[in-house]
PDB file of all heavy atoms in Angstrom:
ATOM      1  N   ALA K   1       0.761  -1.217   0.024  1.00  0.00           N
ATOM      2  CA  ALA K   1       0.004   0.013   0.023  1.00  0.00           C
ATOM      3  C   ALA K   1       0.864   1.253  -0.003  1.00  0.00           C
ATOM      4  O   ALA K   1       0.503   2.199  -0.779  1.00  0.00           O
ATOM      5  CB  ALA K   1      -0.959   0.009   1.192  1.00  0.00           C
ATOM      6  N   PRO K   2       1.874   1.402   0.845  1.00  0.00           N
ATOM      7  CA  PRO K   2       2.582   2.669   0.822  1.00  0.00           C
ATOM      8  C   PRO K   2       3.120   3.057  -0.599  1.00  0.00           C
ATOM      9  O   PRO K   2       3.147   4.240  -0.895  1.00  0.00           O
ATOM     10  CB  PRO K   2       3.757   2.421   1.796  1.00  0.00           C
ATOM     11  CG  PRO K   2       3.216   1.407   2.698  1.00  0.00           C
ATOM     12  CD  PRO K   2       2.463   0.472   1.789  1.00  0.00           C
ATOM     13  N   ARG K   3       3.494   2.078  -1.393  1.00  0.00           N
ATOM     14  CA  ARG K   3       4.067   2.299  -2.671  1.00  0.00           C
ATOM     15  C   ARG K   3       2.977   2.478  -3.759  1.00  0.00           C
ATOM     16  O   ARG K   3       3.208   3.302  -4.743  1.00  0.00           O
ATOM     17  CB  ARG K   3       5.054   1.126  -3.035  1.00  0.00           C
ATOM     18  CG  ARG K   3       5.795   1.389  -4.381  1.00  0.00           C
ATOM     19  CD  ARG K   3       6.832   0.353  -4.575  1.00  0.00           C
ATOM     20  NE  ARG K   3       7.581   0.524  -5.787  1.00  0.00           N
ATOM     21  CZ  ARG K   3       8.591  -0.270  -6.258  1.00  0.00           C
ATOM     22  NH1 ARG K   3       8.941  -1.320  -5.504  1.00  0.00           N
ATOM     23  NH2 ARG K   3       9.182   0.015  -7.315  1.00  0.00           N
ATOM     24  N   PHE K   4       1.870   1.707  -3.636  1.00  0.00           N
ATOM     25  CA  PHE K   4       0.907   1.663  -4.760  1.00  0.00           C
ATOM     26  C   PHE K   4      -0.477   2.218  -4.371  1.00  0.00           C
ATOM     27  O   PHE K   4      -1.421   1.852  -5.058  1.00  0.00           O
ATOM     28  CB  PHE K   4       0.854   0.268  -5.289  1.00  0.00           C
ATOM     29  CG  PHE K   4       2.113  -0.215  -5.913  1.00  0.00           C
ATOM     30  CD1 PHE K   4       2.901  -1.160  -5.345  1.00  0.00           C
ATOM     31  CD2 PHE K   4       2.562   0.358  -7.141  1.00  0.00           C
ATOM     32  CE1 PHE K   4       4.059  -1.593  -5.898  1.00  0.00           C
ATOM     33  CE2 PHE K   4       3.716  -0.097  -7.779  1.00  0.00           C
ATOM     34  CZ  PHE K   4       4.459  -1.105  -7.121  1.00  0.00           C
ATOM     35  N   ARG K   5      -0.558   2.957  -3.332  1.00  0.00           N
ATOM     36  CA  ARG K   5      -1.831   3.532  -2.946  1.00  0.00           C
ATOM     37  C   ARG K   5      -2.345   4.436  -4.079  1.00  0.00           C
ATOM     38  O   ARG K   5      -1.604   5.357  -4.488  1.00  0.00           O
ATOM     39  CB  ARG K   5      -1.709   4.279  -1.591  1.00  0.00           C
ATOM     40  CG  ARG K   5      -3.039   4.663  -1.043  1.00  0.00           C
ATOM     41  CD  ARG K   5      -2.860   5.202   0.409  1.00  0.00           C
ATOM     42  NE  ARG K   5      -2.638   4.169   1.408  1.00  0.00           N
ATOM     43  CZ  ARG K   5      -1.569   4.092   2.167  1.00  0.00           C
ATOM     44  NH1 ARG K   5      -0.615   4.978   2.100  1.00  0.00           N
ATOM     45  NH2 ARG K   5      -1.485   3.126   3.057  1.00  0.00           N
ATOM     46  N   GLY K   6      -3.552   4.188  -4.598  1.00  0.00           N
ATOM     47  CA  GLY K   6      -4.120   5.002  -5.667  1.00  0.00           C
ATOM     48  C   GLY K   6      -3.983   4.316  -7.057  1.00  0.00           C
ATOM     49  O   GLY K   6      -4.372   4.890  -8.080  1.00  0.00           O
ATOM     50  N   ILE K   7      -3.323   3.152  -7.096  1.00  0.00           N
ATOM     51  CA  ILE K   7      -3.034   2.517  -8.400  1.00  0.00           C
ATOM     52  C   ILE K   7      -4.392   2.024  -9.048  1.00  0.00           C
ATOM     53  O   ILE K   7      -4.440   1.765 -10.273  1.00  0.00           O
ATOM     54  CB  ILE K   7      -2.083   1.303  -8.207  1.00  0.00           C
ATOM     55  CG1 ILE K   7      -1.506   0.855  -9.604  1.00  0.00           C
ATOM     56  CG2 ILE K   7      -2.783   0.134  -7.496  1.00  0.00           C
ATOM     57  CD1 ILE K   7      -0.413  -0.124  -9.514  1.00  0.00           C
ATOM     58  N   ASP K   8      -5.437   1.924  -8.247  1.00  0.00           N
ATOM     59  CA  ASP K   8      -6.695   1.495  -8.842  1.00  0.00           C
ATOM     60  C   ASP K   8      -7.215   2.673  -9.832  1.00  0.00           C
ATOM     61  O   ASP K   8      -7.801   2.298 -10.828  1.00  0.00           O
ATOM     62  CB  ASP K   8      -7.837   1.300  -7.726  1.00  0.00           C
ATOM     63  CG  ASP K   8      -7.880   2.518  -6.788  1.00  0.00           C
ATOM     64  OD1 ASP K   8      -6.885   3.102  -6.406  1.00  0.00           O
ATOM     65  OD2 ASP K   8      -9.027   2.819  -6.408  1.00  0.00           O
ATOM     66  N   ALA K   9      -6.972   3.872  -9.502  1.00  0.00           N
ATOM     67  CA  ALA K   9      -7.361   4.948 -10.455  1.00  0.00           C
ATOM     68  C   ALA K   9      -6.527   4.846 -11.690  1.00  0.00           C
ATOM     69  O   ALA K   9      -7.049   5.080 -12.797  1.00  0.00           O
ATOM     70  CB  ALA K   9      -7.187   6.281  -9.749  1.00  0.00           C
ATOM     71  N   ALA K  10      -5.224   4.563 -11.520  1.00  0.00           N
ATOM     72  CA  ALA K  10      -4.400   4.430 -12.718  1.00  0.00           C
ATOM     73  C   ALA K  10      -4.819   3.221 -13.602  1.00  0.00           C
ATOM     74  O   ALA K  10      -4.783   3.340 -14.772  1.00  0.00           O
ATOM     75  CB  ALA K  10      -2.955   4.262 -12.294  1.00  0.00           C
ATOM     76  N   PHE K  11      -5.317   2.163 -12.973  1.00  0.00           N
ATOM     77  CA  PHE K  11      -5.756   0.999 -13.792  1.00  0.00           C
ATOM     78  C   PHE K  11      -7.073   1.361 -14.505  1.00  0.00           C
ATOM     79  O   PHE K  11      -7.182   1.040 -15.711  1.00  0.00           O
ATOM     80  CB  PHE K  11      -6.011  -0.232 -12.848  1.00  0.00           C
ATOM     81  CG  PHE K  11      -6.450  -1.411 -13.595  1.00  0.00           C
ATOM     82  CD1 PHE K  11      -5.555  -2.319 -14.084  1.00  0.00           C
ATOM     83  CD2 PHE K  11      -7.843  -1.669 -13.887  1.00  0.00           C
ATOM     84  CE1 PHE K  11      -5.957  -3.410 -14.826  1.00  0.00           C
ATOM     85  CE2 PHE K  11      -8.261  -2.767 -14.580  1.00  0.00           C
ATOM     86  CZ  PHE K  11      -7.308  -3.611 -15.095  1.00  0.00           C
ATOM     87  N   ARG K  12      -7.994   2.060 -13.826  1.00  0.00           N
ATOM     88  CA  ARG K  12      -9.204   2.450 -14.571  1.00  0.00           C
ATOM     89  C   ARG K  12      -8.852   3.374 -15.836  1.00  0.00           C
ATOM     90  O   ARG K  12      -9.586   3.209 -16.832  1.00  0.00           O
ATOM     91  CB  ARG K  12     -10.070   3.196 -13.586  1.00  0.00           C
ATOM     92  CG  ARG K  12     -10.766   2.385 -12.554  1.00  0.00           C
ATOM     93  CD  ARG K  12     -11.840   3.141 -11.762  1.00  0.00           C
ATOM     94  NE  ARG K  12     -12.469   2.351 -10.780  1.00  0.00           N
ATOM     95  CZ  ARG K  12     -12.115   2.274  -9.472  1.00  0.00           C
ATOM     96  NH1 ARG K  12     -11.154   3.101  -9.107  1.00  0.00           N
ATOM     97  NH2 ARG K  12     -12.742   1.487  -8.641  1.00  0.00           N
ATOM     98  N   GLU K  13      -7.825   4.146 -15.680  1.00  0.00           N
ATOM     99  CA  GLU K  13      -7.504   5.052 -16.843  1.00  0.00           C
ATOM    100  C   GLU K  13      -6.748   4.275 -17.956  1.00  0.00           C
ATOM    101  O   GLU K  13      -6.979   4.557 -19.184  1.00  0.00           O
ATOM    102  CB  GLU K  13      -6.576   6.188 -16.395  1.00  0.00           C
ATOM    103  CG  GLU K  13      -7.219   7.139 -15.435  1.00  0.00           C
ATOM    104  CD  GLU K  13      -6.260   8.239 -14.924  1.00  0.00           C
ATOM    105  OE1 GLU K  13      -5.105   8.101 -15.358  1.00  0.00           O
ATOM    106  OE2 GLU K  13      -6.659   9.058 -14.138  1.00  0.00           O
ATOM    107  N   THR K  14      -5.932   3.257 -17.644  1.00  0.00           N
ATOM    108  CA  THR K  14      -5.086   2.571 -18.620  1.00  0.00           C
ATOM    109  C   THR K  14      -5.618   1.207 -19.074  1.00  0.00           C
ATOM    110  O   THR K  14      -5.238   0.699 -20.105  1.00  0.00           O
ATOM    111  CB  THR K  14      -3.679   2.443 -18.037  1.00  0.00           C
ATOM    112  OG1 THR K  14      -3.662   1.564 -16.862  1.00  0.00           O
ATOM    113  CG2 THR K  14      -3.005   3.748 -17.667  1.00  0.00           C
ATOM    114  N   ASN K  15      -6.461   0.629 -18.173  1.00  0.00           N
ATOM    115  CA  ASN K  15      -6.990  -0.709 -18.425  1.00  0.00           C
ATOM    116  C   ASN K  15      -5.863  -1.771 -18.498  1.00  0.00           C
ATOM    117  O   ASN K  15      -5.972  -2.786 -19.179  1.00  0.00           O
ATOM    118  CB  ASN K  15      -7.848  -0.745 -19.779  1.00  0.00           C
ATOM    119  CG  ASN K  15      -8.827  -1.865 -19.821  1.00  0.00           C
ATOM    120  OD1 ASN K  15      -9.307  -2.368 -18.815  1.00  0.00           O
ATOM    121  ND2 ASN K  15      -9.062  -2.372 -20.992  1.00  0.00           N
ATOM    122  N   SER K  16      -4.796  -1.511 -17.802  1.00  0.00           N
ATOM    123  CA  SER K  16      -3.637  -2.358 -17.854  1.00  0.00           C
ATOM    124  C   SER K  16      -2.852  -2.224 -16.586  1.00  0.00           C
ATOM    125  O   SER K  16      -2.486  -1.120 -16.115  1.00  0.00           O
ATOM    126  CB  SER K  16      -2.734  -2.029 -19.059  1.00  0.00           C
ATOM    127  OG  SER K  16      -1.469  -2.589 -18.861  1.00  0.00           O
ATOM    128  N   LEU K  17      -2.516  -3.322 -15.870  1.00  0.00           N
ATOM    129  CA  LEU K  17      -1.696  -3.318 -14.672  1.00  0.00           C
ATOM    130  C   LEU K  17      -0.320  -2.872 -14.988  1.00  0.00           C
ATOM    131  O   LEU K  17       0.320  -2.131 -14.240  1.00  0.00           O
ATOM    132  CB  LEU K  17      -1.806  -4.637 -13.985  1.00  0.00           C
ATOM    133  CG  LEU K  17      -1.357  -4.711 -12.520  1.00  0.00           C
ATOM    134  CD1 LEU K  17      -2.059  -3.656 -11.676  1.00  0.00           C
ATOM    135  CD2 LEU K  17      -1.617  -6.118 -11.975  1.00  0.00           C
ATOM    136  N   THR K  18       0.237  -3.304 -16.153  1.00  0.00           N
ATOM    137  CA  THR K  18       1.581  -2.948 -16.534  1.00  0.00           C
ATOM    138  C   THR K  18       1.648  -1.402 -16.735  1.00  0.00           C
ATOM    139  O   THR K  18       2.653  -0.776 -16.252  1.00  0.00           O
ATOM    140  CB  THR K  18       1.995  -3.608 -17.811  1.00  0.00           C
ATOM    141  OG1 THR K  18       1.995  -5.037 -17.624  1.00  0.00           O
ATOM    142  CG2 THR K  18       3.351  -3.183 -18.276  1.00  0.00           C
ATOM    143  N   ALA K  19       0.686  -0.878 -17.409  1.00  0.00           N
ATOM    144  CA  ALA K  19       0.683   0.646 -17.604  1.00  0.00           C
ATOM    145  C   ALA K  19       0.472   1.327 -16.261  1.00  0.00           C
ATOM    146  O   ALA K  19       1.039   2.450 -16.101  1.00  0.00           O
ATOM    147  CB  ALA K  19      -0.409   1.006 -18.599  1.00  0.00           C
ATOM    148  N   ALA K  20      -0.381   0.784 -15.411  1.00  0.00           N
ATOM    149  CA  ALA K  20      -0.526   1.392 -14.189  1.00  0.00           C
ATOM    150  C   ALA K  20       0.744   1.431 -13.307  1.00  0.00           C
ATOM    151  O   ALA K  20       1.118   2.436 -12.561  1.00  0.00           O
ATOM    152  CB  ALA K  20      -1.650   0.705 -13.317  1.00  0.00           C
ATOM    153  N   PHE K  21       1.536   0.374 -13.338  1.00  0.00           N
ATOM    154  CA  PHE K  21       2.844   0.250 -12.665  1.00  0.00           C
ATOM    155  C   PHE K  21       3.737   1.299 -13.216  1.00  0.00           C
ATOM    156  O   PHE K  21       4.424   1.981 -12.408  1.00  0.00           O
ATOM    157  CB  PHE K  21       3.428  -1.122 -12.862  1.00  0.00           C
ATOM    158  CG  PHE K  21       2.994  -2.225 -11.986  1.00  0.00           C
ATOM    159  CD1 PHE K  21       2.813  -3.510 -12.427  1.00  0.00           C
ATOM    160  CD2 PHE K  21       2.751  -1.982 -10.624  1.00  0.00           C
ATOM    161  CE1 PHE K  21       2.367  -4.504 -11.598  1.00  0.00           C
ATOM    162  CE2 PHE K  21       2.334  -2.937  -9.717  1.00  0.00           C
ATOM    163  CZ  PHE K  21       2.135  -4.242 -10.289  1.00  0.00           C
ATOM    164  N   LEU K  22       3.682   1.581 -14.437  1.00  0.00           N
ATOM    165  CA  LEU K  22       4.577   2.607 -15.048  1.00  0.00           C
ATOM    166  C   LEU K  22       4.321   3.960 -14.467  1.00  0.00           C
ATOM    167  O   LEU K  22       5.268   4.765 -14.262  1.00  0.00           O
ATOM    168  CB  LEU K  22       4.378   2.613 -16.531  1.00  0.00           C
ATOM    169  CG  LEU K  22       5.299   3.565 -17.427  1.00  0.00           C
ATOM    170  CD1 LEU K  22       6.803   3.212 -17.141  1.00  0.00           C
ATOM    171  CD2 LEU K  22       4.956   3.493 -18.913  1.00  0.00           C
ATOM    172  N   GLU K  23       3.023   4.254 -14.190  1.00  0.00           N
ATOM    173  CA  GLU K  23       2.707   5.582 -13.594  1.00  0.00           C
ATOM    174  C   GLU K  23       3.212   5.703 -12.193  1.00  0.00           C
ATOM    175  O   GLU K  23       3.293   6.758 -11.620  1.00  0.00           O
ATOM    176  CB  GLU K  23       1.227   5.777 -13.623  1.00  0.00           C
ATOM    177  CG  GLU K  23       0.547   5.918 -15.030  1.00  0.00           C
ATOM    178  CD  GLU K  23      -0.819   6.453 -15.001  1.00  0.00           C
ATOM    179  OE1 GLU K  23      -1.247   7.007 -13.980  1.00  0.00           O
ATOM    180  OE2 GLU K  23      -1.492   6.389 -16.021  1.00  0.00           O
ATOM    181  N   PHE K  24       3.619   4.584 -11.559  1.00  0.00           N
ATOM    182  CA  PHE K  24       4.081   4.515 -10.197  1.00  0.00           C
ATOM    183  C   PHE K  24       5.627   4.251 -10.215  1.00  0.00           C
ATOM    184  O   PHE K  24       6.256   3.872  -9.193  1.00  0.00           O
ATOM    185  CB  PHE K  24       3.401   3.502  -9.362  1.00  0.00           C
ATOM    186  CG  PHE K  24       2.035   4.000  -8.780  1.00  0.00           C
ATOM    187  CD1 PHE K  24       0.969   4.047  -9.674  1.00  0.00           C
ATOM    188  CD2 PHE K  24       1.918   4.402  -7.517  1.00  0.00           C
ATOM    189  CE1 PHE K  24      -0.239   4.489  -9.213  1.00  0.00           C
ATOM    190  CE2 PHE K  24       0.654   4.774  -7.089  1.00  0.00           C
ATOM    191  CZ  PHE K  24      -0.433   4.865  -7.946  1.00  0.00           C
ATOM    192  N   GLY K  25       6.276   4.497 -11.412  1.00  0.00           N
ATOM    193  CA  GLY K  25       7.674   4.478 -11.454  1.00  0.00           C
ATOM    194  C   GLY K  25       8.265   3.084 -11.729  1.00  0.00           C
ATOM    195  O   GLY K  25       9.559   2.942 -11.683  1.00  0.00           O
ATOM    196  N   VAL K  26       7.448   2.121 -11.972  1.00  0.00           N
ATOM    197  CA  VAL K  26       7.981   0.790 -12.276  1.00  0.00           C
ATOM    198  C   VAL K  26       8.037   0.661 -13.838  1.00  0.00           C
ATOM    199  O   VAL K  26       7.097   0.282 -14.496  1.00  0.00           O
ATOM    200  CB  VAL K  26       7.114  -0.369 -11.707  1.00  0.00           C
ATOM    201  CG1 VAL K  26       7.654  -1.723 -12.021  1.00  0.00           C
ATOM    202  CG2 VAL K  26       6.979  -0.126 -10.228  1.00  0.00           C
TER     203      VAL K  26
END
């Protein structure tokens, strides 16, 4: 959670977990 809190919103925008990770610096 400390690292990926808010990733659900990124997934909704990108429809991809890989793309959502990218928005969090991965």
